Amino acid sequence: MDFGSLFSFNTVTVAFVVVLLILLVSRTLQWPANVPPGPSGYPIIGSMPLLRKGNVLETFRKLRAQYGDVFSLKIGPNLNVVINGKEALREAFVKRGEEFSDRPGGFMTENIFHSKGIGFSSGEHWKQTRTFSLSTLRNFGFGKKSLESRVQEEIEAYLKFIEKQEGQPYDMKKITTIAISNIICSITFGNRFEYTDAKFKRLTSLFAENFRLLSVGGALRSFPGVRFLPGDMFNVKKLIQNFADIKSFVFEQIAEHRKTYEEENQRDFVDAFLRQQIKHGEDDPIFEDMNLTTSVMNLFGAGTDTTATIIRWAIIYLIHNKPIQDKLRQEIESVVGTSRLPSLGDKPSMPYYEAFITEVLRMGNIAPLSVPHGALKDIHFRGMIIPKGSLIIQNLDSVMTDPDLFENPDKFQPERFLGKDGQMNGKERTVMAFSLGRRICLGESLARLELFLFLTSLLQRFEFFPESPDKLPSFDATLGLVRASKDYKCCAVKLK
Ligand code: HEM
C-alpha cells in the first residue's frame, strides 16, 4: 500500500471537512429566525440528498404542500429559497424585479464567468451588457425577417441530412444540437460549420455535457472546495476543463475577427462588440474582451441545448400522437403547401401549430427550475427574510403542472390553448417556459422563430415513426440544467 498517498488523501479530506464545518457554522449563525420554512436536513450537507436523488420536481411539490409557496432548503453553507406558484413568482420577479433579478455569487459565477457577460452578471454591469446585446441581436435580425433566411439555410442542410437516413432509425440529438448551434454561430461569428467539422462537433458536445453536469443540486455551488479533492467524484474538474476548452475556442474566434475587422462591414455580434471597444477603449468594463467572451459563451450555452431539447421533446410527442401529427401536417399543407419552405409570414394563419408548440413548451418543461437568481442583500418578502447570499430558485414547474391553471396537466392537449373560434385563447400567457420579469430569456424570439421554422419544415417533408412499433421513445427525463428526454432513435419517412 502507498502510505504516502493515503496520508495525503486523508489530510486533504480532514482539512476539507474542518473548513466546511467552520464555514457552515459561521454562515448559518448569521441567518435570522424568520427565514422561509423548510426541512432542517443533515449536519453539514443539509438537504443536499433531497436534490441529488429521485425526482427533484416531485420533492419540491411535496415540500410546497408542507411549507407553502416560499420554502427554503439548507445546503452546506447556503440557503436555497424556492418560490412556487404563479402569484408568488409574479410578486417576486415582476413586481419586485429590482430586488430579485441578480445572479448568486459563487465559484461558477466568479471563477468561470468572472461575474461578466449576460447570464451570470448582476446589477448595472448586467443591465448594460444585456441592453447592448439585445439591441445588437435585434440589429442582426433577432425575431425579424432577415434572420429567417439564415435559419432557412440551416434547415435546408438539416433536412438533407435527415433525408439521407432514408427512413432508417437515427439519433436526433447530435444533428439537431449542431444545427441549432450553427444558427447562434452565424449570428455571433458570421459563419456556420459543416456537420462533419470535428472541432465544432466537439464544442457542441462540451456544452451538452456541461448542461448535463450542472444541476441545482450540483456540488460545486455549495461546496466549491470539492475541486481540490483527489479524483473527480463530483465531475467538477471535468466541468471546469470543459469551460476552459470552450473559452479558448471563443478566444480564437475573437482573435480571428480582430485580424479581419472592417469598420464599414459589420458581419456579426463580435464585430458589433469590437466596434464599441474601439469607440470606448479596451478598458471599458462593458466592452473589454472578457465581457465579450462570456457573453458569447452565454449565447451559445443558453441558445443551443434549450431549443434543441424542445425539438426532441416535440418529436417524442408527435410519435406518440399520430392524430396530432396528421392535424399539424394538414394545417401546413393548407397554409404553405409543399413547393416552398414555411416562413414567418405563415405563422398567424397556423393556430394549431401555435397551440402544439405551446403545449410542448409546457410539458417538455425544459427549464423547470429556471436559472438560479440570488439575493445580493437581505430581502423582506411575505413576512420572511431571504438573507443576503441566498440562492433563489424560480420553480417554473409549479406553474406548468398546476391543475388549477391546466386541467389534467399530465395530458398532452394542444387544444387547451384554443378557443371555440380555433384561435389561441390567451391561456398561453400562463406558460412561463422562458421565465418572467427582467431576466426573462433574452433569446425567446429567436427560440420561437427556430421552433416554428424547424418543426413546420420537418413535418412538411417527413412523417415520424418510432424506431420499431414496440419501441416508443420514453417520456422519462434527466434533470441537469435542462430537463432533457432520454436518448432515442426515430424514423423520418419522406412524404410523397
Ligand atoms: C426553447 C428555448 C429556450 C428556453 C425554454 C429558454 C429558457 C430560459 C430561461 C428559463 C432562462 C432563465 C431566466 C431567468 O434567469 O429568470 C433563460 C435565460 C437566458 N436565455 Fe433562454 N431559453 C431558450 C432559448 C434561448 C435562446 C435561443 C437563446 C439565444 C440567444 C437564449 C439566451 C438566453 C440568455 C442569454 C439568458 C440569460 C438572460 C439573463 O440572465 O439576463 N435562450 N432562458
Side-chain angles (χ1 to χ4, degrees):
M1 182 188 279
D2 177 358
F3 285 98
S5 62
L6 185 67
F7 173 75
S8 63
F9 175 81
N10 283 339
T11 315
V12 172
T13 311
V14 170
F16 175 71
V17 171
V18 170
V19 170
L20 212 63
L21 267 172
I22 296 170
L23 261 176
L24 181 70
V25 172
S26 59
R27 197 67 185 273
T28 50
L29 282 180
Q30 291 165 12
W31 291 337
N34 59 339
V35 298
S40 46
Y42 299 98
I44 304 184
I45 55 172
S47 294
M48 193 170 211
L50 278 181
L51 301 186
R52 287 187 75 84
K53 67 169 196 286
N55 182 340
V56 174
L57 303 179
E58 192 51 46
T59 305
F60 278 13
R61 271 171 226 145
K62 286 185 190 146
L63 291 172
R64 181 187 182 193
Q66 192 175 351
Y67 297 105
D69 283 349
V70 185
F71 65 82
S72 70
L73 293 164
K74 299 176 181 81
I75 300 188
N78 293 335
L79 192 72
N80 290 9
V81 174
V82 184
I83 304 200
N84 302 270
K86 193 175 105 187
E87 298 311 326
L89 283 164
R90 289 226 164 110
E91 191 180 331
F93 297 97
V94 179
K95 288 198 195 124
R96 298 185 53 188
E98 187 64 35
E99 293 155 281
F100 280 87
S101 296
D102 289 315
R103 287 283 184 233
F107 181 83
M108 279 281 297
T109 305
E110 284 148 23
N111 295 53
I112 293 184
F113 293 109
H114 311 278
S115 304
K116 292 179 191 291
I118 316 160
F120 290 88
S121 59
S122 293
E124 201 46 41
H125 186 96
W126 163 68
K127 275 185 203 156
Q128 286 192 37
T129 307
R130 183 173 162 118
T131 307
F132 168 78
S133 303
L134 204 51
S135 72
T136 304
L137 292 168
R138 281 199 186 119
N139 290 342
F140 282 105
F142 241 42
K144 286 196 222 149
K145 201 103 184 104
S146 51
L147 187 61
E148 187 172 15
S149 52
R150 285 182 200 229
V151 177
Q152 281 174 335
E153 183 195 346
E154 194 56 51
I155 286 175
E156 292 282 12
Y158 180 69
L159 295 178
K160 249 189 216 141
F161 176 92
I162 296 173
E163 204 173 322
K164 270 200 197 142
Q165 312 306 310
E166 296 184 330
Q168 294 306 306
Y170 78 104
D171 179 358
M172 293 279 300
K173 190 172 171 176
K174 278 198 184 127
I175 188 66
T176 308
T177 308
I178 294 177
I180 295 292
S181 192
N182 250 339
I183 292 165
I184 290 286
C185 216
S186 90
I187 296 169
T188 50
F189 300 139
N191 59 295
R192 63 178 293 275
F193 289 84
E194 286 307 320
Y195 294 162
T196 45
D197 188 292
K199 213 170 173 185
F200 193 57
K201 268 161 88 173
R202 189 169 133 64
L203 180 80
T204 51
S205 68
L206 290 177
F207 270 118
E209 185 166 50
N210 278 7
F211 255 63
R212 187 173 53 74
L213 296 178
L214 279 168
S215 64
V216 172
L220 188 59
R221 186 173 296 283
S222 305
F223 305 111
V226 293
R227 69 190 190 281
F228 299 120
L229 286 175
D232 194 17
M233 201 178 15
F234 297 98
N235 286 315
V236 169
K237 287 173 191 157
K238 177 115 209 70
L239 195 78
I240 295 170
Q241 185 55 51
N242 286 355
F243 273 123
D245 292 351
I246 293 169
K247 240 182 231 172
S248 50
F249 176 89
V250 177
F251 279 148
E252 256 175 47
Q253 295 288 330
I254 295 173
E256 195 50 46
H257 268 69
R258 197 167 263 131
K259 263 195 250 159
T260 53
Y261 177 82
E262 288 170 14
E263 167 77 29
E264 56 293 344
N265 177 26
Q266 294 287 298
R267 298 162 291 187
D268 46 44
F269 183 82
V270 173
D271 272 0
F273 210 103
L274 291 178
R275 173 190 252 174
Q276 295 304 320
Q277 194 178 72
I278 293 165
K279 201 165 142 196
H280 295 261
E282 282 185 24
D283 295 333
D284 185 294
I286 303 301
F287 298 109
E288 49 91 38
D289 273 7
M290 191 50 85
N291 205 34
L292 168 57
T293 307
T294 34
S295 297
V296 168
M297 281 168 71
N298 296 156
L299 293 175
F300 267 95
T304 300
D305 276 289
T306 43
T307 313
T309 302
I310 281 288
I311 291 179
R312 278 164 45 224
W313 277 119
I315 302 292
I316 293 184
Y317 286 110
L318 289 172
I319 291 175
H320 279 265
N321 297 285
K322 173 96 169 65
I324 294 180
Q325 195 175 151
D326 292 342
K327 207 166 164 188
L328 283 164
R329 194 165 295 110
Q330 272 163 24
E331 189 175 68
I332 294 166
E333 272 168 19
S334 76
V335 177
V336 185
T338 50
S339 57
R340 63 168 176 90
L341 278 177
S343 76
L344 270 184
D346 301 316
K347 209 172 164 192
S349 319
M350 298 175 70
Y352 192 68
Y353 159 81
E354 192 67 34
F356 166 72
I357 199 59
T358 309
E359 186 67 337
V360 178
L361 284 167
R362 187 186 73 80
M363 281 200 73
N365 195 7
I366 63 155
L369 303 175
S370 187
V371 177
H373 288 218
L376 295 194
K377 53 183 185 214
D378 286 354
I379 300 176
H380 294 255
F381 188 63
R382 294 190 164 189
M384 295 167 276
I385 293 190
I386 301 175
K388 177 181 170 180
S390 303
L391 201 79
I392 304 175
I393 297 173
Q394 302 178 318
N395 188 359
L396 303 180
D397 173 73
S398 65
V399 176
M400 308 293 214
T401 56
D402 185 341
D404 293 335
L405 299 172
F406 307 105
E407 207 182 323
N408 297 323
D410 295 335
K411 279 215 169 121
F412 188 81
Q413 279 175 346
E415 288 74 13
R416 69 171 82 244
F417 296 108
L418 294 173
K420 286 203 180 87
D421 57 357
Q423 299 301 314
M424 295 297 280
N425 59 15
K427 264 197 193 155
E428 70 278 10
R429 286 191 284 275
T430 316
V431 176
M432 295 178 182
F434 295 93
S435 176
L436 71 170
R438 297 179 186 197
R439 227 157 175 147
I440 191 167
C441 174
L442 177 123
E444 176 174 354
S445 60
L446 172 64
R448 288 189 183 278
L449 178 145
E450 289 171 335
L451 291 173
F452 177 76
L453 295 178
F454 269 77
L455 287 167
T456 47
S457 305
L458 278 173
L459 282 172
Q460 186 191 39
R461 299 251 179 123
F462 302 102
E463 183 161 2
F464 286 90
F465 295 98
E467 184 179 359
S468 65
D470 56 349
K471 208 171 173 190
L472 286 165
S474 163
F475 289 119
D476 288 347
T478 49
L479 186 60
L481 206 56
V482 294
R483 181 182 168 276
S485 65
K486 296 248 164 81
D487 290 354
Y488 67 93
K489 285 189 175 164
C490 65
C491 302
V493 175
K494 191 150 188 256
L495 292 160
K496 299 269 172 331

